[in-house]
Amino acid sequence: MKKEEFLNNVAELLEIEIKDFEQEIKIDSIGTMTLISFIDENFDKTIKMDAFEQVKSVNDLIKLVGEDLFE
Amino acid sequence: MLIEYVLAPVEISNDDLQKKFPEWDIPTLEQKVGIKKRYKVQENQTALDLALDAANKLFTNHNIEKSSVDYVILCTQSPEYFLPTTACLIQDKLGLRKNIGAIDFNLGCSGYVYVLNIAKGLLLSGVAKNILFITSETYSKYIHPLDKVNQFIFSDAATATFITVEDVDKILNFELGTDGSGCNNLIVRNGSAKYPFDSNAELLEYGDKNFYTHNNLYMHGPEIFNFTIEMVPPLIKETLKKNNETIETVDYFIFHQANQFMLDYLRKKLKIKEDKFYNNITNFGNTVSCTIPIAIKESIDKGTLKPGDKILIAGFGVGYSWGATIIKL
């Protein structure tokens, strides 16, 4: 998956507007569960909920998933 | 194996909760978690009352002679007293024989799998021929009135199952697990031996303005979610392996109905087809140890399950405790 596509998916899943990779995003517990499911389905990677506490932007999410898993 | 269930009499809709907590985004929660209504007991009603109702319904609907019961097992975390054992009261109130065994055991969401495990042992060892086992839970009594999330999720109910020595071959091999290090993540801390009930307990907050005290039920949702996604997939794989089955050869999967979102996640992760997977928490809520027997009964009544079907059932939660097996209808 390309990073731009990932950003668009995150925006759609969280139902918020995200303009760039550094924009600050707020993720509640339901949003976190939604992202865990999405990441597992698309990257075959299981991430625990507490790992999302440090996530402040889409760039942080990309680092959490692993840069090498993106095109 | 015959099953009946009862739901507690007080129905609480999402509209009722929205009126109580007007600032809360219930539509989003309903969409993700999937619950539209839940049930709670009246103030003077207990898990024992629900247990008796479920057992009487079972006896009546299936013409079961009470005198045939030679063992009673109750799975509950809402006992009538510290002592005596609630199952002893059930023996008396149902008018069962006196020369029978009666025990309680304390487990939550994994309870139905464990009760089947215990029942199979009793039947195989010749101790009992006809077992009445009941799951009954009233978590509503432990939930703080300002704890929105747990009021949304949990529901009170009881189930009664009658199992005879002829059913033994229909209960296949078990995979069980325990990790007590997770005990603080789903707990009612006060009121038992370690910490007495504290009438001046401090009001604590968690998540988005949910309140509780140590006298109440507390659930650390994210940790429970982590535990589930980490532990359930290997539990299912091991259970299939122990029974020489595969995802494809099992007819139907019934997991503890914790929440719709989590179940959907587990289903996708395990690559189970949607039509072979029970996911219906909508009209019941999370009834703890009752979710699996309610799901089995519902699936039989709706014609989803038919005689001879192989069903993988899996329970997981408070403890942490987990277990799974395959049953044949």
Side-chain angles (χ1 to χ4, degrees):
Chain A
M1 186 182 292
K2 287 182 177 163
K3 287 180 181 175
E4 290 74 18
E5 190 186 348
F6 182 72
L7 181 142
N8 291 333
N9 278 314
V10 171
E12 197 178 318
L13 291 167
L14 299 180
E15 295 175 9
I16 53 172
E17 196 183 346
I18 306 177
K19 288 176 182 164
D20 61 71
F21 290 94
E22 282 300 331
Q23 179 187 321
E24 195 168 324
I25 53 172
K26 229 181 155 184
I27 312 172
D28 63 12
S29 58
I30 287 180
T32 305
M33 288 195 294
T34 308
L35 290 174
I36 289 173
S37 180
F38 173 76
I39 291 165
D40 203 331
E41 219 175 324
N42 289 277
F43 298 91
D44 197 22
K45 190 166 182 176
T46 307
I47 298 174
K48 288 190 168 186
M49 276 190 96
D50 32 357
F52 285 77
E53 283 168 15
Q54 310 303 323
V55 171
K56 304 275 182 253
S57 65
V58 174
N59 262 348
D60 290 342
L61 271 177
I62 289 169
K63 282 178 201 152
L64 194 62
V65 173
E67 295 260 8
D68 53 322
L69 295 178
F70 289 87
E71 287 173 30
Chain B
M1 202 162 81
L2 303 166
I3 302 171
E4 289 293 346
Y5 68 87
V6 294
L7 303 169
V10 183
E11 183 182 318
I12 299 165
S13 69
N14 285 353
D15 284 346
D16 296 330
L17 288 177
Q18 190 70 81
K19 278 175 201 153
K20 193 173 170 188
F21 304 106
E23 79 293 350
W24 198 24
D25 182 9
I26 289 195
T28 302
L29 202 60
E30 178 183 314
Q31 191 199 344
K32 294 284 180 188
V33 179
I35 300 171
K36 287 187 175 168
K37 53 185 173 180
R38 71 288 297 148
Y39 300 84
K40 67 185 275 188
V41 283
Q42 286 160 339
E43 209 168 319
N44 60 353
Q45 202 176 19
T46 64
L48 171 62
D49 297 318
L50 292 182
L52 296 173
D53 289 347
N56 280 319
K57 191 173 176 183
L58 180 78
F59 291 148
T60 305
N61 288 1
H62 300 280
N63 296 315
I64 295 167
E65 290 290 334
K66 288 182 182 180
S67 59
S68 67
V69 174
D70 54 15
Y71 216 105
V72 184
I73 306 171
L74 172 68
C75 171
T76 189
Q77 299 189 307
S78 309
E80 196 80 346
Y81 308 110
F82 279 122
L83 57 118
T85 309
T86 308
C88 294
L89 279 70
I90 289 176
Q91 175 276 328
D92 179 52
K93 289 182 184 293
L94 286 178
L96 303 179
R97 283 168 24 208
K98 289 187 179 174
N99 61 335
I100 67 169
I103 55 167
D104 286 0
F105 75 93
N106 177 327
L107 275 180
C109 307
S110 63
Y112 196 73
V113 175
Y114 278 80
V115 86
L116 273 177
N117 187 250
I118 295 168
K120 185 178 179 180
L122 291 168
L123 294 168
L124 276 174
S125 65
V127 171
K129 285 182 180 161
N130 301 301
I131 299 175
L132 168 66
F133 59 81
I134 298 170
T135 62
S136 187
E137 211 50 83
T138 56
Y139 271 19
S140 69
K141 287 186 183 287
Y142 301 137
I143 298 171
H144 193 281
L146 296 176
D147 184 345
K148 297 180 289 189
V149 167
N150 284 332
Q151 278 180 78
F152 184 87
I153 291 172
F154 289 108
S155 188
D156 299 340
T159 73
T161 304
F162 189 68
I163 186 167
T164 73
V165 75
E166 283 83 32
D167 295 317
V168 164
D169 293 343
K170 295 175 185 169
I171 306 168
L172 307 185
N173 297 323
F174 288 81
E175 173 72 9
L176 304 174
T178 305
D179 179 6
S181 71
C183 73
N184 288 322
N185 294 325
L186 187 40
I187 188 169
V188 179
R189 184 175 174 272
N190 290 355
S192 201
K194 177 87 172 165
Y195 301 104
F197 182 87
D198 177 5
S199 53
N200 297 312
E202 184 189 356
L203 191 65
L204 302 164
E205 185 178 355
Y206 76 93
D208 179 22
K209 291 178 188 160
N210 291 283
F211 296 92
Y212 73 108
T213 76
H214 283 315
N215 297 326
N216 305 115
L217 178 82
Y218 167 71
M219 179 167 72
H220 191 306
E223 283 299 334
I224 298 295
F225 186 80
N226 285 341
F227 151 72
T228 306
I229 61 174
E230 191 175 9
M231 180 280 310
V232 175
L235 169 69
I236 303 309
K237 284 172 189 164
E238 276 307 307
T239 307
L240 290 168
K241 203 167 142 190
K242 274 192 172 173
N243 288 289
N244 296 316
E245 299 285 353
T246 65
I247 294 281
E248 289 72 33
T249 59
V250 169
D251 297 300
Y252 206 59
F253 294 82
I254 295 178
F255 292 3
H256 164 58
Q257 301 291 296
N259 81 58
Q260 182 180 282
F261 183 87
M262 195 153 76
L263 288 168
D264 203 40
Y265 173 89
L266 292 170
R267 182 187 66 73
K268 286 178 188 164
K269 179 99 183 157
L270 287 159
K271 299 185 170 52
I272 301 170
K273 286 181 182 166
E274 221 170 337
D275 62 350
K276 284 174 62 169
F277 191 80
Y278 186 91
N279 193 346
N280 181 14
I281 198 171
T282 311
N283 295 317
F284 301 109
N286 179 343
T287 54
V288 194
S289 53
C290 302
T291 67
I292 293 173
I294 289 174
I296 297 172
K297 171 73 176 154
E298 274 280 294
S299 303
I300 293 170
D301 288 352
K302 283 182 180 165
T304 311
L305 296 177
K306 53 189 186 307
D309 276 353
K310 282 178 284 187
I311 311 152
L312 190 152
I313 60 170
F316 38 85
V318 60
Y320 303 136
S321 167
W322 61 93
T325 187
I326 295 176
I327 55 173
K328 279 186 195 169
L329 275 193

